[in-house]
Amino acid sequence: MTGQMWRAFALAVATVCLALPAMAQTGAQDKYPFQNPDLPVEQRIDNILSLMTIDEKIDILGTQTGVPRLGIPNIGSSEGIHGVVQRGGGKRNLTPITTTQFPQPPGMGETWDPEIVRKAAGVEGYEARYISQTPKYGRQILMLWGPQSDLARDPRWGRSEEVYGEDPFFNGTMATAFVKGLQGDDPKYWQSAALLKHFLANSNENGRGGSSSDFDERLFWEYYSVPFRMAFEDGGAKAVMASYNSWNGTPMTIHPILDSILTKQWGVEVLSSDGGAVTNLVKWHKTFPNQKDAVVASVKAGINQFLDVYKDEVHAALADGSLTTADIDYAVRRKMRIAIKLGLLDPPDRVPYSKIHDGVEPWNTDQSRDVSKQIALESVVLLKNDKGALPLQKSGLKSVAVIGPLADSVHWDWYGGLPPYAVTPLAGIKAALGPDVAVTYAADNTDGRAVAAAKAADVAIVVVGNDPTCGPNMAHDWNDAGTNPCADPGDGREGRDRETLALAQEDLVKAVYAANPKTVMVLVSSFPYTINWSQAHVPAILHMTHSSQDEGMALAQVIFGDYNPGGHLVTTWPASVDQLPPMMDYNIRHGRTFMYAKAKPLYPFGYGLSYTTFRYANLKTSAPQINKNGEVTVSVDVSNTGQMAGDTVVQLYVSYPNSKVERPMKELEGFRRVHLVAGETRTVTIPLKAAQLAYWNVDAKAFTVETAPVDLMIGESSADIKLSQRLSVQ
């Protein structure tokens, strides 16, 4: 053979060996009926169950889902809400693997661009396949734990950094896009499997192991469950993780709705406990006297993936009859459906994703980098721009001071991985300015360094924000009920809610501004801050979330006008913590989110500025009325009336002036991010289904669309409504 022929032959052999089950490599191919991809799925699984021992079935109820004796590969799992997480270490002392790292989910949300979120998730799913099927890595991570589909109902929540925003329709749209990206476009097979977290109403950290999120049936259907339902029904996700908390006193790990709604109505196949959640049923919820009873109840509730102690307990339960083989078979069957959907039991020539292995690592390709750069740019939000302070003109600058504790770092978070590169704000600014502009750096004002740097510069850029892990030792900061308190009470993380919304580093901003009024504030944060002083005084403020490998590049392009920011906020930023109801009040009607809050916020939901201006006109609907089972198209003409190309986010809100039940002041029901060159006008269309106007009818146990008029509103934020029109519902 020539060298070229040998390489082609070796590649073909590698493809077959990687994709086929172990039995295909030992002469066992076609030994069993389940290996026939043309048989019906349930018939194949019947055969698998008949061949498995009880020990093998029990083993599958963990995260190792393979059956080596039968050549059934392991699905495996990895965290993956904004990048595949393979930091290495752990009990197996794994080697770290770099993977593409995108902005934290609130930053992904701040793009208001489901398509770029889908592309980012597509990169993740591809990288998971590549790692799973490339021999030098040898790990199986085809179930990615994401998207995080909970809602940021309170900015004090320590895990706000993990979710897209506070609105159910918005979060559901982004979660659906993320699921579609992970699972791919093939009509039969998935690229990877999405596992949603954490069902349900998990938005407090302090005491979460035994707390109860209490709210009524309508809020379940109309708010808390919406992003999950959309990701299951519209996105096609089939796996979910139950949350630690209770809903109305019943722990989610054993809640009857896992089976009655998730499995039977929404088609969920894998129901996972969270880490230690079954133990919490004994320790914190005090629902059961021992681990065995807790495990039995979890299995009967539908849990078929344990991140907890369970094996001995299942064996004991089978021995005393509290669990049956049928219970275990039901649990295993649903996991096997996922394995088949991933193509793990089929010949590689039938599975398009079996070809993903070897060659250039995907995180080192232009394709992945381009997606990373684009989502980073789209995530930047311009919060203030007094008198056109931004963009800065490079040609007029001789010196720039870059200041702040976040200026020369890109912070990882608990659910982030290791990027192949990370551009800090300082590095991005230096690269953008080149060698002819002097760039000085001061991390803080020790010995007056920040003030001195600001005074000596033409302009000061101060980069402040939170530390997503509250320090470098988060892995060792866990205690019996969560994590230790953060040194800064304005910080939060998993296991610890924020004590204040004040930004401690705002004192540094004040000092820099006093030294140089030409100050740009860059807030890199996972959640809102009450930066009232900065909003009143600093000429320009930008916001971005953590963990993007292109953080500094994106900020520099925005600061110097190479990119016009078009991101918008995904939560309401209160002016004071006093505007918030008590942390454990889960009834959002008491004043949470833009739908119910009555006090004027610092920044409203959907807010974001641009370097250009936009005009909205000619709001229309495709019909004067909408049928209760129908759909209309809402259209509006949008014009770029400024001098620079830019993006606007057209937001469609709905209100119910004559509703017979209590409804929100307004609801988001559609949006489009639109790019327009200077002077361009475009008609933007947004579909609106009557089903989106429904409320949950408690008496009928069903969604009901009222035959009453609704008001349609087009705005640039929830508080900046440009046009409105009434629509009849028949």
Side-chain angles (χ1 to χ4, degrees):
M1 292 183 181
T2 65
Q4 185 175 2
M5 291 174 62
W6 174 256
R7 285 191 293 272
F9 173 75
L11 178 60
V13 171
T15 301
V16 173
C17 290
L18 275 168
L20 287 179
M23 60 187 170
Q25 302 172 37
T26 60
Q29 191 173 12
D30 299 325
K31 181 179 179 181
Y32 303 113
F34 78 81
Q35 296 168 248
N36 182 357
D38 296 321
L39 287 179
V41 168
E42 297 308 312
Q43 189 174 334
R44 297 176 76 184
I45 297 175
D46 286 342
N47 179 238
I48 291 171
L49 292 173
S50 72
L51 296 169
M52 292 176 66
T53 68
I54 192 61
D55 287 341
E56 289 169 335
K57 292 175 181 179
I58 292 173
D59 286 347
I60 277 184
L61 299 185
T63 57
Q64 300 300 311
T65 56
V67 188
R69 182 178 62 84
L70 299 177
I72 298 176
N74 181 30
I75 296 171
S77 58
S78 171
E79 298 286 0
I81 59 174
H82 62 95
V84 177
V85 179
Q86 291 294 296
R87 295 196 299 263
K91 295 180 180 178
R92 296 167 60 193
N93 195 28
L94 296 172
T95 302
I97 304 173
T98 61
T99 54
T100 305
Q101 296 300 302
F102 302 105
Q104 293 175 303
M108 299 175 80
E110 285 174 348
T111 68
W112 285 68
D113 184 352
E115 179 58 20
I116 194 65
V117 171
R118 185 193 66 79
K119 288 181 179 179
V123 169
E124 282 194 40
Y126 190 98
E127 291 182 358
R129 270 282 175 176
Y130 179 88
I131 292 170
S132 297
Q133 297 179 167
T134 296
K136 73 175 181 179
Y137 297 118
R139 359 190 138 158
Q140 294 74 47
I141 54 169
L142 287 182
M143 180 171 280
L144 293 174
W145 294 1
Q148 228 285 33
S149 301
D150 283 304
L151 289 146
R153 66 174 183 102
D154 192 304
R156 291 168 294 191
W157 180 32
R159 298 182 79 171
S160 297
E161 66 187 19
E162 297 183 30
V163 303
Y164 297 113
E166 71 182 24
D167 180 79
F169 174 81
F170 180 85
N171 282 29
T173 301
M174 292 302 187
T176 296
F178 197 86
V179 168
K180 288 182 176 179
L182 289 181
Q183 298 188 168
D185 299 325
D186 187 82
K188 182 173 183 179
Y189 297 104
W190 284 344
Q191 176 176 245
S192 65
L195 181 142
L196 279 58
K197 303 192 299 184
H198 302 90
F199 190 84
L200 176 81
N202 179 111
S203 55
N204 66 277
E205 292 305 294
N206 298 352
R208 65 180 183 172
S211 64
S212 183
S213 304
D214 298 338
F215 50 89
D216 62 31
E217 189 178 330
R218 281 192 62 199
L219 285 178
F220 170 86
W221 287 104
E222 297 173 19
Y223 186 70
Y224 289 106
S225 72
V226 171
F228 292 91
R229 174 178 55 79
M230 290 176 67
F232 293 133
E233 293 188 339
D234 301 337
K238 294 291 184 182
V240 71
M241 183 178 292
S243 55
Y244 287 114
N245 56 282
S246 295
W247 173 36
N248 294 346
T250 301
M252 290 311 307
T253 307
I254 57 167
H255 207 290
I257 62 173
L258 295 182
D259 185 61
S260 63
I261 295 176
L262 271 72
T263 298
K264 290 188 168 62
Q265 293 188 34
W266 296 342
V268 178
E269 304 286 11
V270 173
L271 293 169
S272 178
S273 69
D274 205 339
V278 178
T279 300
N280 286 351
L281 296 174
V282 178
K283 187 171 187 178
W284 295 111
H285 289 290
K286 301 187 184 305
T287 310
F288 301 101
N290 55 62
Q291 187 78 0
K292 173 178 166 291
D293 289 353
V295 168
V296 169
S298 300
V299 171
K300 288 185 175 296
I303 295 294
N304 61 349
Q305 179 166 286
F306 285 88
L307 309 185
D308 212 321
V309 174
Y310 77 94
K311 289 186 180 181
D312 290 343
E313 289 74 13
V314 172
H315 279 290
L318 287 168
D320 69 14
S322 51
L323 283 178
T324 67
T325 302
D327 293 326
I328 306 304
D329 284 355
Y330 175 65
V332 172
R333 175 179 296 275
R334 287 146 52 215
K335 298 192 87 169
M336 282 300 166
R337 290 175 186 149
I338 301 296
I340 290 174
K341 192 68 178 172
L342 287 164
L344 297 183
L345 306 184
D346 291 359
D349 59 354
R350 293 203 182 195
V351 184
Y353 302 115
S354 67
K355 301 176 180 65
I356 301 174
H357 58 83
D358 296 319
V360 178
E361 293 90 348
W363 46 88
N364 290 326
T365 63
D366 288 341
Q367 182 179 2
S368 294
R369 289 171 176 166
D370 288 347
V371 175
S372 171
K373 291 174 182 177
Q374 187 63 30
I375 198 169
L377 287 166
E378 291 191 21
S379 74
V380 180
V381 183
L382 180 62
L383 296 177
K384 183 181 179 182
N385 195 25
D386 191 29
K387 298 177 182 178
L390 288 176
L392 300 178
Q393 302 303 312
K394 299 177 189 177
S395 59
L397 293 174
K398 294 182 179 179
S399 61
V400 173
V402 181
I403 296 165
L406 276 69
D408 195 26
S409 62
V410 175
H411 277 251
W412 72 285
D413 63 26
W414 192 237
Y415 292 103
L418 298 173
Y421 62 87
V423 183
T424 70
L426 177 62
I429 290 167
K430 283 183 174 180
L433 289 173
D436 296 331
V437 179
V439 177
T440 56
Y441 163 66
D444 52 41
N445 200 30
T446 303
D447 299 327
R449 286 178 293 193
V451 168
K455 282 183 177 178
D458 295 334
V459 63
I461 301 171
V462 56
V463 188
V464 293
N466 72 298
D467 178 351
T469 59
C470 300
N473 297 314
M474 183 171 175
H476 305 287
D477 282 351
W478 292 87
N479 58 45
D480 206 32
T483 64
N484 298 330
C486 300
D488 179 349
D491 277 350
R493 60 184 177 185
E494 180 175 357
R496 179 61 56 173
D497 291 318
R498 304 168 70 195
E499 299 174 35
T500 177
L501 304 184
L503 177 66
Q505 295 165 18
E506 198 167 28
D507 288 341
L508 177 62
V509 179
K510 294 177 181 179
V512 171
Y513 175 75
N516 188 338
K518 294 182 178 179
T519 292
V520 175
M521 177 182 179
V522 176
L523 178 60
V524 184
S525 73
S526 309
F527 27 62
Y529 279 100
T530 50
I531 50 171
N532 296 281
W533 185 93
S534 296
Q535 174 60 25
H537 295 90
V538 178
I541 306 174
L542 293 167
H543 177 258
M544 189 178 188
T545 62
H546 291 284
S547 298
S548 166
Q549 63 190 34
D550 287 296
E551 176 184 310
M553 177 282 301
L555 289 170
Q557 286 206 25
V558 167
I559 288 169
F560 299 113
D562 298 309
Y563 184 84
N564 188 349
H568 286 244
L569 297 180
V570 294
T571 54
T572 302
W573 288 39
S576 167
V577 71
D578 296 332
Q579 293 179 345
L580 300 173
M583 184 65 180
M584 288 306 296
D585 185 352
Y586 271 78
N587 186 343
I588 63 169
R589 301 187 194 97
H590 293 162
R592 293 196 187 281
T593 79
F594 75 93
M595 295 186 289
Y596 292 101
K598 295 179 174 59
K600 183 179 179 180
L602 176 62
Y603 304 116
F605 173 84
Y607 174 82
L609 303 177
S610 172
Y611 294 154
T612 189
T613 54
F614 300 95
R615 182 178 66 242
Y616 291 71
N618 200 24
L619 173 62
K620 293 181 179 180
T621 56
S622 58
Q625 64 186 35
I626 185 172
N627 184 277
K628 290 175 65 174
N629 299 311
E631 179 178 342
V632 296
T633 299
V634 181
S635 64
V636 61
D637 293 339
V638 184
S639 302
N640 183 341
T641 55
Q643 304 301 311
M644 185 177 183
D647 294 4
T648 186
V649 177
V650 182
Q651 302 167 37
L652 172 63
Y653 295 91
V654 177
S655 66
Y656 306 88
N658 299 322
S659 179
K660 296 179 181 179
V661 297
E662 183 180 9
R663 307 294 291 268
M665 291 182 289
K666 60 174 68 79
E667 293 179 339
L668 180 74
E669 294 298 349
F671 58 92
R672 288 286 185 275
R673 180 169 179 146
V674 185
H675 180 79
L676 298 171
V677 300
E680 180 183 3
T681 297
R682 187 184 307 172
T683 299
V684 178
T685 60
I686 299 174
L688 177 66
K689 296 179 179 179
Q692 294 175 245
L693 309 176
Y695 75 94
W696 182 256
N697 188 322
V698 176
D699 294 331
K701 301 298 181 185
F703 280 106
T704 297
V705 178
E706 294 180 285
T707 53
V710 297
D711 287 337
L712 309 180
M713 296 164 281
I714 293 290
E716 285 191 291
S717 80
S718 59
D720 185 11
I721 302 302
K722 302 296 187 183
L723 302 167
S724 62
Q725 178 176 312
R726 186 153 289 189
L727 177 68
S728 296
V729 182
Q730 299 296 326

